[in-house]
Amino acid sequence: MAVKEKGSRPQTAQELLEQEKTARLGVSSLGKREFLEQFQKLSKSYAVDPGNPGSYACEGCQRCANCMFCKDCDSCHQCTHCTRCELCTSCSHCVECKNCHACAYCVQSENCSNSAYVVLSKNLQDCNYCFGCVGLSKKDFHILNVGFPRTEYFKVVGRLRKDLGIP
């Protein structure tokens, strides 16, 4: 079977045309079983490839794309300066976050979007400075979904961070 192998490159334009023609002929003649076998083989080869295409200066990352200066992240896209995040997109300076989008300076948070400085929070949207919150939208300076004045928020969060061992 002449299906194009991942990472193989032809030497000349003529070789490229010949390889593509051979691959098209091979694929067009596949039956159901052969197609499914080839699809499974192709899927497995990409699932186990921990490469980071388009990424720059990432360390210990797997399956990340177009990220910069990240460490130990998995399956992130267009993130920068993140550490131990998973499935995040367009995040910056986040730590141990999962499935966040367009967030900045978040810590141990999940499923948040367009938020900044949220810690131990889940399912937030357009929030800033939230600690231990769940399901809020367009809120600032909240702890456990309770609003606080700015100065009091930072006092309480400072104590909680120390007690919980969160830097």
Side-chain angles (χ1 to χ4, degrees):
M1 170 82 214
V3 174
K4 185 175 184 241
E5 292 295 321
K6 180 179 130 190
S8 62
R9 290 190 177 198
Q11 299 298 323
T12 66
Q14 182 62 32
E15 287 178 347
L16 175 63
L17 292 173
E18 289 175 21
Q19 280 186 358
E20 288 179 355
K21 183 178 179 181
T22 305
R24 280 194 297 273
L25 285 172
V27 169
S28 64
S29 65
L30 290 175
K32 176 182 175 182
R33 185 177 65 91
E34 294 88 4
F35 173 82
L36 292 174
E37 286 174 358
Q38 290 297 318
F39 179 67
Q40 186 175 25
K41 180 181 172 185
L42 187 62
S43 295
K44 282 183 182 179
S45 73
Y46 278 89
V48 298
D49 181 11
N52 301 300
S55 295
Y56 177 76
C58 292
E59 298 175 14
C61 296
Q62 296 182 10
R63 292 175 285 281
C64 295
N66 303 316
C67 295
M68 295 189 309
F69 308 109
C70 294
K71 294 180 183 171
D72 303 318
C73 294
D74 190 359
S75 305
C76 294
H77 181 253
Q78 291 186 338
C79 294
T80 180
H81 296 88
C82 293
T83 305
R84 295 182 301 280
C85 293
E86 294 180 43
L87 300 166
C88 294
T89 58
S90 303
C91 291
S92 176
H93 297 85
C94 293
V95 178
E96 296 178 3
C97 291
K98 187 171 183 178
N99 203 30
C100 291
H101 174 69
C103 291
Y105 300 95
C106 298
V107 178
Q108 296 177 8
S109 296
E110 295 181 24
N111 303 316
C112 297
S113 62
N114 302 306
S115 299
Y117 302 100
V118 299
V119 180
L120 290 172
S121 297
K122 295 182 180 184
N123 304 316
L124 302 185
Q125 182 178 358
D126 299 312
C127 292
N128 295 301
Y129 297 103
C130 291
F131 193 99
C133 294
V134 178
L136 297 180
S137 180
K138 299 182 182 185
K139 300 291 182 184
D140 297 332
F141 303 107
H142 279 62
I143 302 171
L144 295 174
N145 289 18
V146 175
F148 280 80
R150 179 184 171 106
T151 54
E152 189 177 349
Y153 170 87
F154 286 112
K155 284 181 189 175
V156 175
V157 165
R159 182 184 56 78
L160 287 171
R161 279 182 175 263
K162 186 176 178 184
D163 290 348
L164 294 170
I166 299 172

